[in-house]
Every structure is written in structure tokens, then in C-alpha cells.
Amino acid sequence: MSEQLDGAAELVLLTFTTPDLLDEYQQRRDLSLPILIDGNRDAYAAYGLGRGRLSRIWGWATIRRYAQILRRSGRGMADLVSATEDTRQLGGDFVVAPDGRLSWGYWSKGPADRPAVNEILDAVERAAA
């Protein structure tokens, strides 16, 4: 079942992880939205999502955010140190209009850099209008 936003949009998560790591992630988070795997990162490249500078990726904002996540989850620093994925791959948030054009985008500068939820919802409303 996918997450619908007032019937105007469908929320989809895109990742470059492996299927086994995705299964574990979904089980821990109990997610019901569709998650697509872009192992070659073709969509990441198409949306202009490059790799971040090491100093930006592992800056104080990121360390603070990961510390919060680890405290909440009860996991340890070993979970971060043993990361098997490209921690420098930047992410983003995008709204694609019903006609298939990109109507809004947010290109993150680091793992802790995300837009406000209301900003995304406003972009969804504008795209549907």
C-alpha cells in the first residue's frame, strides 16, 4: 500500500541500497510506502545528486543527528563505523507533476540537510493545481 497525500500525490522512497539491507530497514521502520532501488544510481545522476565533501557529510550537524538516531534506536557507534554504503552520496526531495515534469526539487548538501515537511506539501499542492 502506498502513502497518498490527499489523493494528489504518491510518496515513494528511492534508495541505492541492496535488497537485503532494504528488507532489514523496512522491517525496523514498518514502512508501507513503495521503495525503489536504484543500484546504479542512474536516477540520482539524472536529478543531479552528486557526492558531498567529506567535511560536509561528517560535520557537526550530521554527527548530532546520528547520535540522536543511535540513542533512540539503542544501537551503537559500530553501526556507523561498519557502514557498507556510500555515505557521501547526497540525497534530495522532489515533486514530479502529474504531467511528468519536475515541478520542485531540494538538493541536500549533507545527510542532515532536509526541507521542512510543509515546504514539500506546499510543492505537492502547487504541482497538482
Side-chain angles (χ1 to χ4, degrees):
M1 178 173 164
S2 63
E3 298 293 322
Q4 294 289 325
L5 302 174
D6 293 334
E10 183 176 2
L11 181 63
V12 178
L13 177 69
L14 178 69
T15 182
F16 59 89
T17 193
T18 60
D20 55 325
L21 291 176
L22 178 58
D23 288 343
E24 179 187 330
Y25 180 82
Q26 279 186 289
Q27 289 171 6
R28 280 197 324 262
R29 301 285 187 284
D30 192 29
L31 298 175
S32 60
L33 64 145
I35 301 177
L36 307 174
I37 296 176
D38 179 17
N40 294 328
R41 295 186 237 181
D42 295 331
Y44 284 80
Y47 280 88
L49 297 168
R51 295 179 76 224
R53 293 187 324 259
L54 197 56
S55 62
R56 181 71 180 220
I57 298 299
W58 288 104
W60 286 114
T62 305
I63 292 169
R64 230 182 352 263
R65 180 70 182 127
Y66 283 148
Q68 291 170 344
I69 292 169
L70 290 173
R71 268 196 306 271
R72 225 180 15 235
S73 70
R75 299 177 97 167
M77 278 302 279
D79 292 321
L80 290 182
V81 174
S82 65
T84 59
E85 299 184 1
D86 184 358
T87 59
R88 293 180 54 196
Q89 175 62 61
L90 295 173
D93 297 272
F94 303 96
V95 175
V96 177
D99 63 4
R101 69 180 167 76
L102 178 64
S103 64
W104 180 86
Y106 188 92
W107 290 261
S108 297
K109 294 176 180 74
D113 179 30
R114 307 310 293 183
V117 172
N118 287 340
E119 195 175 340
I120 298 170
L121 293 175
D122 289 345
V124 168
E125 285 182 25
R126 286 191 306 274

